[in-house]
């Protein structure tokens, strides 16, 4: 259940992001580097506020668990990747040749029937 403080934090984060976007375009006369850095700072502050909510805590826990799962993945070696790529390439060539033969046969059959 969302508390009223969490709703206030959501609204504050949205207002900060909106104000950052408006300021980005309002100060178009300034260097783009400063405007981008300002926007990054506003986004960091808004995300920090969002992380203090219940949804933020759940999202952060989910991100940490996802990171742990990615570490468990067994990535293929270079040799396995090359072999798989070559097999896919060979299959594409074989299927392409079969489709070309089928197309040629169908073209011949239609030409024979309509001539």
């Amino acid at each position: 259940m969302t508390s009223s403080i969490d709703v206030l934090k959501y609204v504050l984060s949205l207002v900060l992001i909106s104000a950052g976007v408006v300021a980005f375009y309002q100060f178009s006369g300034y260097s783009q580097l400063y405007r981008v850095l300002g926007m990054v700072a506003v986004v960091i502050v808004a995300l920090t506020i969002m992380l203090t909510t219940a949804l933020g805590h759940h999202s952060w826990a989910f991100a940490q668990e996802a990171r742990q799962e990615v570490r468990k993945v067994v990535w293929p070696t270079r040799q396995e990747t090359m072999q798989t790529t070559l097999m896919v390439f060979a299959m594409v060539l074989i299927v392409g040749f079969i489709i070309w033969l089928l197309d040629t046969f169908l073209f011949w059959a239609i030409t024979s029937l309509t001539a």
Side-chain angles (χ1 to χ4, degrees), residues 11-29:
V11 170
L12 178 62
S13 294
L14 287 174
V15 167
L16 277 173
I17 295 290
S18 300
V21 170
V22 168
F24 182 84
Y25 289 108
Q26 190 69 27
F27 295 111
S28 61

Side-chain angles (χ1 to χ4, degrees), residues 5-78:
I5 293 175
D6 282 353
V7 172
L8 182 65
K9 290 177 183 179
Y10 297 145
V11 170
L12 178 62
S13 294
L14 287 174
V15 167
L16 277 173
I17 295 290
S18 300
V21 170
V22 168
F24 182 84
Y25 289 108
Q26 190 69 27
F27 295 111
S28 61
Y30 290 90
S31 171
Q32 187 170 5
L33 173 66
Y34 296 137
R35 293 186 300 142
V36 169
L37 288 176
M39 191 66 199
V40 168
V42 168
V43 168
I44 288 172
V45 170
L47 284 176
T48 303
I49 292 171
M50 287 292 288
L51 284 175
T52 62
T53 64
L55 180 63
H57 287 295
H58 292 302
S59 299
W60 184 254
F62 176 77
Q64 288 177 331
E65 291 171 10
R67 186 173 181 219
Q68 289 174 353
E69 290 299 319
V70 167
R71 288 182 178 172
K72 294 178 185 178
V73 172
V74 178
W75 298 101
T77 63
R78 180 178 174 88

